Amino acid sequence: MVWVDAVLGLLAVALSAEVWRRSAADTRAIEGLADSLRRSGALLIELRRRIEQQRQLAEAQQLTETAVDVGTQAVRQVHFGIAAIPFGLLEALPATRDTTRVVRQAHDVIANAVYGTIRGVNRLSGQATRSALGLRTERTPGVSDRDDHD
């Protein structure tokens, strides 16, 4: 029975060696997976940071586009309000009425063209910015399409 004990001993050594080999392989695989998990976690953190930056840029773009639009409308209204004072006075005088009307019409056409151009460029730059940020290129809420003609 000595040979049975020897065979069983050799079998036990062989099984122990195989368990140790598989354990070492499993340990390396687990370490590799842990490494991949750490890299994935770092990528996820970076992705979240980039998404937050994109959200902040989108909010800043929306705020800027709206501010330029509203500001342009306000300046236009103040401009036309102030211009109405001398035009009104000059139109009240028969000697300057006809000339003033012609000048006022030219003033209004030029001013409306300037304010319309500013607002158009604002809308186009907003679309370009949204496109560059990978956002929908629809107009920002609060940015008006209407032209304020008095």
Side-chain angles (χ1 to χ4, degrees):
M1 296 269 195
V2 173
W3 66 270
V4 172
D5 288 339
V7 169
L8 287 176
L10 285 174
L11 187 56
V13 168
L15 285 174
S16 294
E18 181 61 20
V19 167
W20 180 83
R21 187 189 66 76
R22 286 188 182 185
S23 175
D26 288 347
T27 299
R28 285 189 301 276
I30 289 170
E31 287 171 354
L33 291 172
D35 226 21
S36 293
L37 191 56
R38 280 189 293 276
R39 281 192 305 273
S40 295
L43 289 173
L44 181 59
I45 289 168
E46 177 64 16
L47 181 60
R48 285 182 179 165
R49 186 187 64 77
R50 286 184 182 193
I51 289 170
E52 178 60 19
Q53 282 179 336
Q54 185 177 26
R55 184 193 62 75
Q56 289 173 350
L57 286 171
E59 287 176 1
Q61 181 279 322
Q62 179 178 348
L63 178 64
T64 301
E65 187 177 354
T66 301
V68 169
D69 187 65
V70 170
T72 301
Q73 290 177 45
V75 169
R76 182 190 174 282
Q77 289 174 346
V78 169
H79 176 157
F80 275 85
I82 291 170
I85 296 168
F87 285 136
L89 292 172
L90 292 169
E91 286 175 351
L93 302 173
T96 58
R97 180 175 299 135
D98 292 337
T99 304
T100 301
R101 285 183 180 158
V102 171
V103 171
R104 185 179 206 165
Q105 285 177 346
H107 166 271
D108 291 353
V109 166
I110 292 168
N112 281 323
V114 169
Y115 291 116
T117 300
I118 292 169
R119 293 178 75 208
V121 168
N122 182 46
R123 282 193 296 267
L124 290 174
S125 65
Q127 288 173 350
T129 302
R130 285 188 296 280
S131 178
L133 291 173
L135 304 172
R136 292 177 290 154
T137 58
E138 296 168 6
R139 186 163 293 101
T140 303
V143 176
S144 177
D145 242 348
R146 64 186 170 82
D147 288 324
D148 297 349
H149 296 294
D150 291 340

